[in-house]
Amino acid sequence: MVKEQLKAKNIVITGASGGIGAEIARLCAASKANLVLLARSIDKLKRLKAELEAKYQVRVDVFQLDVSDTDQVQKVFREILARIGDIDILVNNAGFGIFREAHEASMDEMKRMFKVNVIGLMACTSMVLPKMRERRFGQIINIASQAGKIATPKSSVYSATKHAVLGYSNALRMELSDYNIQVTTVNPGPIATNFFDIADEQGTYVKNVQRFMLKPEFVARKVVGSMLTRTREINLPRWMNLGSVVYVLFPRLFERIGKRMLNKK
Ligand SMILES: NC(=O)c1ccc[n+]([C@@H]2O[C@H](COP(=O)([O-])OP(=O)(O)OC[C@H]3O[C@@H](n4cnc5c(N)ncnc54)[C@H](OP(=O)(O)O)[C@@H]3O)[C@@H](O)[C@H]2O)c1
């Protein structure tokens, strides 16, 4: 997939060392965008940089960043802005989940999930907003989840973080609508990535949902396809999105039936 409009655009991707972040990076590189890739695993980022530079002759900068450390976020983004100038697209993709019932979740787990999935995402966004507003150009793509629309048993904390991402993004979209800055949220259902190594230690969920898991390349194609467009939200798969509409319309019924049917974890 090549998207001509991305040529020479500066795209920053958090959580780019694996999973859908790395796939998004591959497609952006194929479209000749300049990339800045961020994650904690600097070795994986360096390997991806070498792969993309060799294959596509594009510029790829990598920085080690734990998005939950907001001081580090500020430092790294200042360096990025100094090095590449303007950021055209920010993809807030870094995130993780731990599937556990609320009464079993530790304080540390709850804080970590919110620090990475919510505070980290907001911190990165804050760092690109002033310049984007000044230029009246840009796009912020926030990877949320279907868990941000449909809460299910054992995903209370993770789901709360993704609901927070959607709330933040919706307000942001309205704030930025007069500045020609698009805010796109992405709500995928289960994707076959390493996400479940942490989220689903027992492997129960993966076993139960294996047959309808999305491929990371497919999700990445949808995300890159939305770049520099006015896409508001991407919901995948479509039938799961229908579920979230039914949830809003008939919440009691949905929760009564869903308690059993959606408890795949
Ligand atoms: N897989 C799914 O079923 C699914 C479904 C819906 C939404 N999502 C969302 O999609 C996004 C990507 O997930 P994925 O499926 O691609 O999972 P993944 O393969 O585990 O990748 C997660 C990425 O986030 C990075 N990351 C995690 N913690 C970080 C931190 N503190 N600071 C910086 N980077 C961090 C990881 O890099 P390092 O470990 O190197 O830092 C990695 O590159 C997440 O936001 C996730 O919530 C996933």
Side-chain angles (χ1 to χ4, degrees):
M1 173 191 184
V2 173
K3 196 172 159 100
E4 295 293 339
Q5 302 97 300
L6 296 183
K7 192 173 176 182
K9 290 284 182 291
N10 294 333
I11 302 177
V12 178
I13 305 170
T14 71
S17 62
I20 55 176
E23 291 306 324
I24 295 169
R26 287 190 175 95
L27 293 177
C28 292
S31 302
K32 301 281 183 198
N34 303 316
L35 292 173
V36 180
L37 308 179
L38 311 171
R40 291 166 305 174
S41 313
I42 190 69
D43 291 345
K44 289 187 190 167
L45 289 181
K46 283 181 181 164
R47 279 200 294 277
L48 185 57
K49 170 185 162 76
E51 173 196 322
L52 300 181
E53 286 181 340
K55 203 163 168 190
Y56 300 110
Q57 294 79 51
V58 286
R59 174 179 174 173
V60 181
D61 289 288
V62 297
F63 293 87
Q64 186 169 39
L65 175 66
D66 180 340
V67 296
S68 68
D69 180 342
T70 50
D71 291 340
Q72 216 186 335
V73 168
Q74 291 186 336
K75 191 168 158 274
V76 167
F77 272 82
R78 279 192 201 111
E79 213 174 318
I80 296 169
L81 288 165
R83 205 185 282 186
I84 67 162
D86 300 321
I87 296 170
D88 297 303
I89 302 173
L90 167 68
V91 183
N92 279 310
N93 167 70
F96 79 105
I98 300 174
F99 296 157
R100 233 189 279 289
E101 286 199 10
H103 70 101
E104 291 174 329
S106 71
M107 277 295 169
D108 178 58
E109 269 170 28
M110 295 185 218
K111 283 188 195 162
R112 277 194 295 125
M113 263 184 269
F114 267 90
K115 274 187 175 173
V116 176
N117 299 0
V118 184
I119 306 292
L121 175 145
M122 292 177 181
C124 294
T125 305
S126 308
M127 291 307 292
V128 305
L129 284 178
K131 265 281 196 89
M132 281 189 180
R133 286 172 65 109
E134 201 182 296
R135 292 172 69 214
R136 291 184 167 263
F137 185 80
Q139 185 176 15
I140 295 160
I141 301 181
N142 290 334
I143 310 294
S145 171
Q146 280 296 319
K149 300 207 135 188
I150 306 174
T152 54
K154 279 202 179 175
S155 76
S156 44
V157 181
Y158 178 65
S159 187
T161 67
K162 295 301 187 178
H163 274 73
V165 169
L166 292 181
Y168 175 73
S169 307
N170 291 343
L172 193 65
R173 185 179 298 111
M174 287 188 263
E175 288 176 9
L176 299 175
S177 64
D178 292 338
Y179 289 84
N180 190 33
I181 302 166
Q182 311 306 323
V183 177
T184 304
T185 44
V186 183
N187 303 311
I191 314 164
T193 66
N194 292 339
F195 175 87
F196 295 104
D197 295 354
I198 297 174
D200 180 40
E201 276 174 335
Q202 314 293 325
T204 328
Y205 184 67
V206 170
K207 212 171 83 199
N208 288 337
V209 301
Q210 195 107 52
R211 66 189 182 285
F212 54 81
M213 267 203 181
L214 300 162
K215 289 201 167 49
E217 305 80 22
F218 171 77
V219 179
R221 269 204 305 280
K222 295 286 180 190
V223 173
V224 175
S226 80
M227 287 180 173
L228 301 181
T229 72
R230 297 171 65 83
T231 306
R232 183 181 178 278
E233 247 186 18
I234 299 173
N235 291 291
L236 301 165
R238 283 227 185 99
W239 63 265
M240 216 177 243
N241 185 45
L242 194 68
S244 67
V245 175
V246 176
Y247 196 174
V248 172
L249 293 174
F250 309 103
R252 277 173 200 275
L253 178 70
F254 190 91
E255 284 173 5
R256 206 164 50 229
I257 299 169
K259 193 173 81 179
R260 274 193 307 277
M261 279 178 52
L262 299 175
N263 194 358
K264 302 284 185 201
K265 302 184 177 87

